Amino acid sequence: MSIVDRIARRERIYGGDINKAWRLELDDGSTVFMKTNSPEKAAYFEAESAGLEAMRATDTIGIPKVLEHGKTEDYSYLILEFLKPANRIKDYWETFGRELALMHKASGGAVWGKSPAMFGFPSDNFIGHTKQINTPSKSWVDFYRECRLVPQLKMADRYFDSSIRKKFSHLLDNLSDYLEEPESPALLHGDLWSGNMLCGPDGKAWILDPACYYGHPEVDLAMTQLFSQLPSAFYSAYNEVNPISPEYAERRDLYHLYQLLNHLNMFGSSYYGEVTAILDEYA
Ligand code: ADP
């Protein structure tokens, strides 16, 4: 029997920016978390659930367990283990940094079956409202160009004049001058801004709402530094487990570029200035 047929009581949780969120009490007295949207959004929850399961399989960091996803005539839904808030442990940020680094270092085998790990993911997913293409590739730089920058640039084309288009084309042609191939593909959360982190029942940081794929671990670090920064204890603990390259700072804005292009496409021209400022840095 589906969990949606066992709901005894439900209460709205506010704070998300895309879906409706609920705390559900089931017929056996247990509590679960549910997100809902219109029925045609079921693919979003299917993709979110695949990402959560891939991260959870690494057994390195707090990830809510997926209990069910699907749709009824009226809505699509994702049901997760309910994370009861607790007080933060003393070394909250160090532990978060260490556990994220362990997730990045975990073997990529799980989602790729017997084949060697690739960059990308076995299925496409979403970054916010936008489709995120995850076609597997052996090269990180090719993947970042073809599956990250190019699709966003095509969507944003109407914002650009010919001189900006020329600069983008130069940047794409010379991307390997700026980005490096990592030692191996790392499982990324893919959208690691502060709204997707939560203190879980164990007092540690849990991560939610992913846009997972295998890529360069610097992508997740860069996302933690797009609109603000996490405390320095997070980065030093991360660095002890998975050393951060001294050249990371030179690449960070290129990783921001993907997210900012997506913001330009989702929210409009207020992100144009940030996008072209990054373009000017590199092209
Ligand atoms: P959206 O997909 O709309 O961005 P979120 O995943 O951000 O939604 O969730 C909405 C709210 O529910 C947030 O305030 C978040 O902290 C909370 N939340 C998310 N997952 C859980 C969970 N498993 N247990 C309890 N609360 C959660």
Side-chain angles (χ1 to χ4, degrees), residues 218 225 244-254 281-282:
E218 289 173 354
Q225 299 182 314
I244 302 173
S245 160
E247 285 144 29
Y248 158 64
E250 292 162 31
R251 296 189 277 263
R252 184 174 48 202
D253 288 355
L254 265 185
E281 270 177 61
Y282 294 94

Side-chain angles (χ1 to χ4, degrees), residues 140-141 176 178-182 216 218 245 247 251 255:
W140 167 241
V141 180
S176 57
Y178 305 111
L179 297 184
E180 60 152 29
E181 295 289 335
H216 199 305
E218 289 173 354
S245 160
E247 285 144 29
R251 296 189 277 263
Y255 292 131

Side-chain angles (χ1 to χ4, degrees), residues 13-19 21 33 35 81-83 198 208-209:
I13 297 177
Y14 295 92
D17 45 14
I18 292 185
N19 304 292
F33 174 81
K35 293 208 273 196
E81 133 187 38
F82 187 84
L83 302 177
L198 191 70
L208 313 162
D209 236 350

Side-chain angles (χ1 to χ4, degrees), residues 97 221 224-225 228-240 244:
L221 293 178
T224 67
Q225 299 182 314
S228 57
Q229 289 254 14
L230 300 181
S232 59
F234 167 87
Y235 301 99
S236 26
Y238 181 97
N239 184 55
E240 275 172 30
I244 302 173

Side-chain angles (χ1 to χ4, degrees), residues 5 44 50 70 72 89 99 102 121 125 127 136 149 164-165 187 198 203 207 228 240 242 257 259:
D5 297 321
Y44 285 71
T72 68
I89 56 170
E99 292 190 345
L102 288 172
F121 202 69
N125 47 25
I127 181 78
L149 296 179
I164 299 279
R165 281 195 201 106
L187 179 61
L198 191 70
I207 53 179
S228 57
E240 275 172 30
N242 195 28
L257 183 59
Q259 291 283 352

